[in-house]
Amino acid sequence: MSFCRVSLLLLFAHLTSSEQPSAPKPISASLREIPWSKQLNFLHTTDTHGWHAGHLQEAQYSADWGDYISFARHLRQRADDDGADLLLVDTGDRVDGNGLYDASDPKGKYTFDILKHQHIHVMTSGNHELYLANTSNREYEQVVPDFKDGYIASNLDIYNPSTEKLQPLAKRYRKFTTKNQQIRVLAFGFLFNFHGNANNTVVQPVQETIKEQWFQDAIRTKDVDLFLVAGHVPVRDSEEYDLIYKAIRSVAWDTPIAFFGGHTHIRDYRKYDNKAYGIESGRYMETIGFLSIDGLSNGKKDVSPLASPTFRRTYIDNNLYSLHHHSNTSTSTFSTGLGRNISASIHSARNTLKLDHTFGCAPQDYWLNRATYPANNSLLTLLDQNVIPDTFNPELAQPSIVITNSGALRFDIFKGPFTTDSEFLVSPFTSGFRQIKNVPYGPAMQVLGLLNNQGQIMLESMVATHGWEKLKNRMQELLPPMPPQRVSSRGSREGQAHDQQIPLTLSSDKPTLPGYTTIDDAGTDGDDTIHAPITFYDLPNCIASPIHFSPVSTAGSQDKPETLDMIYNGFIQDWVLLALRYLGVEREVDDTEEALGGRTMTDVVRVWVEGNWKCDGNE
Ligand SMILES: *[C@@H]1O[C@H](CO)[C@@H](O)[C@H](O)[C@H]1NC(C)=O
Ligand SMILES: *[C@@H]1O[C@H](CO)[C@@H](O)[C@H](O)[C@H]1NC(C)=O
Ligand SMILES: *[C@@H]1O[C@H](CO)[C@@H](O)[C@H](O)[C@H]1NC(C)=O
Ligand SMILES: *[C@@H]1O[C@H](CO)[C@@H](O)[C@H](O)[C@H]1NC(C)=O
Ligand SMILES: *[C@@H]1O[C@H](CO)[C@@H](O)[C@H](O)[C@H]1NC(C)=O
């Protein structure tokens, strides 16, 4: 890892009391200060996806949830000392995607006793809380009570598991007054118009919710100093937040609004107007979003509101170097009793789950988005050149094509030990492989193209035949449960820094630490750590490996097989069937069968690593 060349701060060498014992120690770098307000400050997390132990292979994001608890405690103290306020917000997708959550039975057995110790003032559900009925039932029975007043569900209902009656998952909105400044806040908690939920929850489309009487009454509430809209909703290019913004502005043209968003896993900050801003705080416990507001009115009437309040933001890299700095603490003063206890609980859960069990050692880094494809440091290339052929060659008798969607992979493989934890990070999906036998060679070979760049054309034609509404709903259901991390290709405003120089305001040295270089509506100074930019590359949706035939040598030749068996990740079955239909090959779900004895991508990768990557004792 290139990080390792940068000198470690000796200060941290003996630290054992916080973060996870195996976490790499943070690296010194130039930091920008957080724009602390003497009025109202926020910390924001989103899309943590079970990474509450922090990143154990990336020093830059190696602090854990216990450290976050200590950090919030220090900032709360600072707020009390200043007569200011600090509020915490979390906007969902706390589950799925990391061994700490996924490896236990039931899933999440340890997560919620860890999470609940942070005092969060406003919290929402993400889509991941709703894929399985048992997950949303647990939200209702455990998480909502854990966060008492904080959990808000403005457009989300659940069939109560005991009474089977449909009811709000949590309260629809919350009005409260901050402790020190007595700022009167009215908070909502939304989820984007999601359709892939299990049938025990109902997500009401935002356009319906804003017509409801309770919402119309809420936005007309007198004496509100700030509307706080939290949601598992992107802050940019989202119909949902635009509708909510317009609805509030139509009756409260002047009241400040703070949006907190998520879902797209990016750092972003959007200006809606002079008094309305939204922040989105990344993913996977890499980022703690910081937002501050000055110049709000309050119940004390001792502040004369500025013509426009000042909103400012910082994206804090979640490591102890940053957290110590922003809380003006040191190794000896940082961790609180509770923070240390929570770090210890995380460590003990990881031990119980044996997340550090090593299957093999990666000889180099393999990147999901940080390498071009194909390339010898591309994870997709490793998969389609090595892992898939090595796995399927001995299993299959007939010429076959194995198609996997890149969305089935979530994260890079770092040089060094490949552990139980890595296994869940790289591919947490539980769907196995399926197959369709004896597909005519030509169409079978064209499916990949349709699933990739030509997919648009296929969809347009299918829309023309089947109508948009029906297909749109179907697509929503088909969207991979975990959005693939195509950071730059999703129109994100970070990382597209191939030819951009970040201004070095604090240091004349060129930054050496690769990381986020965010560009948002307030400029380029949002990241607390001054990073060297990382380039993210577009990936194909799907990749394919030929088994027992060679597409090159059979091209135009008489020896090409008449038919191919098509094997694919079960998750994309509907797309494969749709593509085949478009190519004139009618196959139904009944024509498909399980492949590879039900083994999943996670199993495939693990078994391959065990067989191919030895540890030479240097790791
Ligand atoms: C919910 O069901 C899934 C699939 O059966 C299982 O893996 C998971 O552990 C269950 N979760 C809970 C909270 O019971
Ligand atoms: C949800 O679907 C299951 C079958 O998949 C059915 O038994 C149950 O009644 C449905 N629940 C609701 C609330 O519609
Ligand atoms: C940081 O803490 C030290 C004491 O530990 C104090 O002297 C100093 O004023 C503090 N700095 C800030 C910016 O609060
Ligand atoms: C930390 O855990 C210990 C042992 O379980 C307990 O005695 C102590 O009260 C805890 N401290 C805090 C601040 O939660
Ligand atoms: C990757 O490919 C490049 C260029 O083809 C080559 O220089 C490099 O040695 C290769 N690296 C590995 C680890 O195979």
Side-chain angles (χ1 to χ4, degrees):
M1 235 161 86
S2 51
F3 295 159
C4 301
R5 282 196 296 275
V6 184
S7 65
L8 301 181
L9 263 199
L10 287 174
L11 192 60
F12 298 105
H14 304 292
L15 188 68
T16 51
S17 56
S18 59
E19 63 171 28
Q20 293 304 295
S22 67
K25 299 307 165 212
I27 294 156
S28 60
S30 300
L31 293 182
R32 300 181 175 100
E33 301 302 326
I34 53 172
W36 182 258
S37 160
K38 298 271 178 180
Q39 258 206 316
L40 186 54
N41 301 279
F42 295 92
L43 295 176
H44 177 217
T45 49
T46 191
D47 297 84
T48 50
H49 283 291
W51 289 71
H52 303 107
H55 290 234
L56 301 181
Q57 292 184 298
E58 287 176 289
Q60 201 58 25
Y61 313 114
S62 52
D64 67 20
W65 192 258
D67 300 320
Y68 183 39
I69 288 174
S70 300
F71 183 60
R73 163 77 198 284
H74 292 296
L75 292 200
R76 210 156 34 235
Q77 185 63 51
R78 179 174 179 186
D80 286 348
D81 293 347
D82 285 356
D85 287 295
L86 176 75
L87 300 175
L88 269 64
V89 178
D90 182 275
T91 45
D93 276 10
R94 292 170 288 275
V95 306
D96 291 347
N98 184 292
L100 182 62
Y101 180 85
D102 291 303
S104 64
D105 185 16
K107 286 178 191 288
K109 186 170 166 190
Y110 303 100
T111 298
F112 299 97
D113 284 338
I114 289 164
L115 283 186
K116 72 178 183 196
H117 293 280
Q118 181 69 291
H119 183 198
I120 297 177
H121 301 81
V122 177
M123 181 174 206
T124 73
S125 171
N127 49 312
H128 274 267
E129 277 80 8
L130 310 181
Y131 280 104
L132 300 174
N134 60 7
T135 317
S136 42
N137 283 338
R138 184 183 45 206
E139 284 297 292
Y140 177 73
E141 288 169 339
Q142 186 176 345
V143 186
V144 172
D146 279 350
F147 291 92
K148 290 183 205 72
D149 294 337
Y151 209 121
I152 309 182
S154 298
N155 66 333
L156 176 57
D157 293 329
I158 188 165
Y159 286 93
N160 181 319
S162 356
T163 64
E164 290 171 19
K165 291 235 163 59
L166 189 64
Q167 62 178 75
L169 177 82
K171 61 164 63 72
R172 291 290 190 222
Y173 68 99
R174 161 161 202 232
K175 181 156 193 246
F176 62 99
T177 301
T178 62
K179 179 176 147 197
N180 294 321
Q181 283 283 317
Q182 292 170 31
I183 294 162
R184 294 152 304 180
V185 179
L186 196 134
F188 298 105
F190 278 93
L191 172 62
F192 71 92
N193 294 347
F194 173 57
H195 299 279
N197 50 317
N199 70 356
N200 69 322
T201 51
V202 176
V203 181
Q204 186 183 43
V206 168
Q207 41 273 50
E208 306 293 321
T209 306
I210 60 176
K211 288 186 210 140
E212 295 223 335
Q213 197 58 47
W214 74 261
F215 181 84
Q216 287 296 325
D217 291 345
I219 59 179
R220 288 176 173 78
T221 307
K222 294 266 181 299
D223 297 328
V224 171
D225 302 308
L226 177 73
F227 286 105
L228 190 170
V229 183
H232 197 72
V233 181
V235 292
R236 197 177 301 276
D237 300 328
S238 94
E239 191 193 0
E240 290 90 341
Y241 267 0
D242 288 348
L243 285 167
I244 294 164
Y245 168 73
K246 284 189 195 125
I248 295 176
R249 276 288 170 260
S250 70
V251 302
W253 65 274
D254 204 25
T255 311
I257 313 174
F259 288 89
F260 293 84
H263 187 57
T264 41
H265 291 191
I266 63 171
R267 294 179 172 188
D268 199 6
Y269 183 62
R270 175 178 172 200
K271 176 178 181 178
Y272 291 78
D273 64 39
N274 276 341
K275 297 185 172 187
Y277 286 82
I279 187 171
E280 191 172 331
S281 304
R283 59 173 197 183
Y284 305 161
M285 286 283 287
E286 289 169 350
T287 303
I288 297 171
F290 178 86
L291 180 78
S292 70
I293 315 177
D294 269 310
L296 294 168
S297 59
N298 67 9
K300 294 198 277 188
K301 305 282 180 219
D302 66 359
V303 174
S304 52
L306 306 175
S308 268
T310 310
F311 288 72
R312 288 174 297 175
R313 56 75 186 101
T314 298
Y315 313 102
I316 299 172
D317 275 9
N318 183 37
N319 64 69
L320 289 183
Y321 183 74
S322 281
L323 300 190
H324 290 177
H325 181 87
H326 298 308
S327 58
N328 191 25
T329 56
S330 65
T331 308
S332 56
T333 57
F334 176 72
S335 46
T336 63
L338 181 60
R340 268 196 303 275
N341 274 8
I342 299 309
S343 295
S345 309
I346 295 171
H347 182 58
S348 130
R350 287 183 52 84
N351 272 346
T352 308
L353 295 169
K354 300 191 170 55
L355 295 184
D356 288 323
H357 175 79
T358 300
F359 296 105
C361 290
Q364 59 167 86
D365 294 333
Y366 288 96
W367 303 109
L368 187 52
N369 303 94
R370 292 202 216 168
T372 51
Y373 168 82
N376 59 8
N377 60 348
S378 155
L379 182 54
L380 291 185
T381 298
L382 177 73
L383 205 72
D384 71 9
Q385 297 296 309
N386 302 95
V387 179
I388 296 285
D390 292 351
T391 306
F392 283 89
N393 257 314
E395 297 278 341
L396 303 175
Q398 303 301 321
S400 304
I401 183 160
V402 181
I403 299 184
T404 5
N405 61 323
S406 58
L409 296 175
R410 290 243 303 168
F411 211 64
D412 313 305
I413 293 180
F414 297 100
K415 180 177 178 178
F418 184 97
T419 62
T420 304
D421 208 19
S422 329
E423 179 191 26
F424 283 105
L425 305 188
V426 171
S427 180
F429 297 97
T430 49
S431 85
F433 290 90
R434 299 197 61 81
Q435 60 184 330
I436 307 176
K437 298 214 150 163
N438 303 320
V439 177
Y441 183 87
M445 293 296 285
Q446 281 172 280
V447 166
L448 182 69
L450 281 180
L451 294 178
N452 287 330
N453 27 352
Q454 300 155 34
Q456 193 64 31
I457 301 163
M458 170 173 87
L459 275 175
E460 278 163 16
S461 137
M462 300 301 286
V463 168
T465 321
H466 299 284
W468 173 239
E469 273 312 313
K470 197 169 153 214
L471 206 68
K472 194 170 76 171
N473 288 338
R474 193 82 195 99
M475 275 167 56
Q476 289 269 12
E477 285 156 29
L478 289 175
L479 278 180
M482 212 72 70
Q485 296 321 303
R486 287 200 215 135
V487 184
S488 66
S489 64
R490 305 168 131 247
S492 133
R493 301 163 62 80
E494 69 192 56
Q496 294 161 323
H498 319 242
D499 46 20
Q500 280 150 359
Q501 279 295 313
I502 17 171
L504 296 182
T505 48
L506 299 183
S507 156
S508 57
D509 297 334
K510 256 191 175 283
T512 48
L513 198 62
Y516 288 100
T517 51
T518 310
I519 303 162
D520 61 26
D521 284 6
T524 56
D525 62 356
D527 305 296
D528 79 325
T529 309
I530 301 185
H531 285 130
I534 294 175
T535 307
F536 291 94
Y537 296 93
D538 284 348
L539 301 179
N541 286 330
C542 292
I543 54 175
S545 309
I547 308 289
H548 299 317
F549 78 100
S550 156
V552 179
S553 68
T554 55
S557 117
Q558 304 298 323
D559 326 329
K560 69 170 188 263
E562 296 263 303
T563 63
L564 292 176
D565 292 349
M566 296 190 68
I567 325 279
Y568 47 85
N569 199 296
F571 212 83
I572 57 170
Q573 172 153 296
D574 289 310
W575 290 110
V576 172
L577 291 173
L578 207 61
L580 282 175
R581 193 163 309 150
Y582 180 76
L583 295 165
V585 179
E586 291 289 336
R587 294 292 158 88
E588 302 299 332
V589 175
D590 285 348
D591 302 323
T592 71
E593 54 193 87
E594 188 181 85
L596 210 63
R599 271 171 282 162
T600 64
M601 182 65 101
T602 314
D603 301 327
V604 165
V605 172
R606 180 192 58 242
V607 170
W608 186 88
V609 166
E610 276 179 318
N612 291 274
W613 282 347
K614 301 289 167 250
C615 292
D616 57 14
N618 295 330
E619 321 303 331

